[in-house]
Amino acid sequence: MTAAPPSFPTRRRGIARGGRALYGAPLGILMLEARFPRIHGDMGNGGTWPFPVLYRVVRGASPEKVVLEGARGLLPDFLEAARELVAQGAEAITTNCGFLSLFQREIAAAVGVPVATSSLMQVPWVQAMLPPGQRVGLVTVSGGSLSPAHLEAAGVPLDSPMEGTESGREFFRVLIKAEKDDMDVDLAEQDVVEAAERLVARHPEVGAIVLECTNMPPYAAAVQRATGRPVYDIYAMITYFHAGIRPRDFA
């Protein structure tokens, strides 16, 4: 019996719509300007995503300015970069810092496409899944800087339990203080895990953890193993977000 010849996709017929510079990458990511390593799992590593993305670095938006200084004066730069991504073909926008929840409404109003600025935005959904008496806890890169304004902008209860990584030996020093370009990944993981362990030790009612920082997904599995709690991060949120703009076709 002769094997059937391989099938190849045929060229689509009809009218091909233009008007953009790029196609096939509907998600745009606004990036902070930083030099630390973007390891696999980090939002800024293109290999992290199971789909194509568009990146735009917002010049002058250092992690220190955004996290420790409240992103003061940077809104116009983020709006301009978001508009550029949409002009290139982005059909949805996200950012690579959870502290940019402060700009959620302004960016969404400016670009006219769905916008998800912060991993914190999934807290209400995660809370709704938990049994009575349990709460969502937050692990953030900087507990001292995550203000009520950041939480309110993302719909997060202001009394949410949280822990930061400021007291660690590597993660905060490299990502926020930019003390060096290289990073000891094992030490960084230890910083994030220890913050999560402190969180659940101080707040045993925490039934699930949301990682605020978009550089934390590489350590989410270690956090889950250490705490025994479900862990949600920017990777979980943005894969869900992307599924809405490119639903799977089961036909």
Side-chain angles (χ1 to χ4, degrees), residues 61-188:
S62 69
E64 187 168 15
K65 286 182 179 179
V66 171
V67 173
L68 302 185
E69 300 176 17
R72 288 193 301 272
L74 292 173
L75 177 58
D77 302 287
F78 277 94
L79 295 180
E80 179 182 1
R83 292 188 182 105
E84 289 173 354
L85 282 172
V86 172
Q88 283 188 323
E91 299 169 25
I93 298 291
T94 185
T95 84
N96 88 308
C97 183
F99 281 72
L100 289 169
S101 62
L102 290 176
F103 294 163
Q104 172 66 33
R105 290 187 178 183
E106 289 86 350
I107 295 176
V111 297
V113 300
V115 174
T117 53
S118 176
S119 178
L120 296 171
M121 294 173 67
Q122 63 194 315
V123 169
W125 180 65
V126 176
Q127 181 64 57
M129 296 190 295
L130 293 178
Q134 293 188 4
R135 306 182 67 194
V136 177
L138 311 177
V139 173
T140 173
V141 69
S142 180
S145 303
L146 193 60
S147 70
H150 293 100
L151 301 180
E152 186 175 15
V156 178
L158 301 186
D159 62 346
S160 295
M162 72 173 72
E163 282 290 336
T165 64
E166 301 98 314
S167 62
R169 292 185 291 168
E170 188 77 356
F171 193 75
F172 183 84
R173 290 178 54 236
V174 174
L175 270 67
I176 304 303
K177 301 301 291 183
E179 293 181 8
K180 56 181 180 174
D181 291 347
D182 298 331
M183 181 175 69
D184 185 317
V185 176
D186 293 333
L187 284 180

Side-chain angles (χ1 to χ4, degrees), residues 27-46:
L27 180 70
I29 303 178
L30 295 169
M31 297 289 298
L32 303 192
E33 188 172 28
R35 295 179 60 84
F36 57 80
R38 301 285 186 175
I39 65 174
H40 193 231
D42 187 291
M43 196 176 192
N45 184 320

Side-chain angles (χ1 to χ4, degrees), residues 4 14 40-41 56-57 78 95-96 123 137 178 186 190 199 205 207 235 245 249:
H40 193 231
R56 180 57 56 96
V57 176
F78 277 94
T95 84
N96 88 308
V123 169
D186 293 333
Q190 183 178 340
L199 174 70
E205 75 278 14
Y235 180 83
I245 57 176
D249 189 347

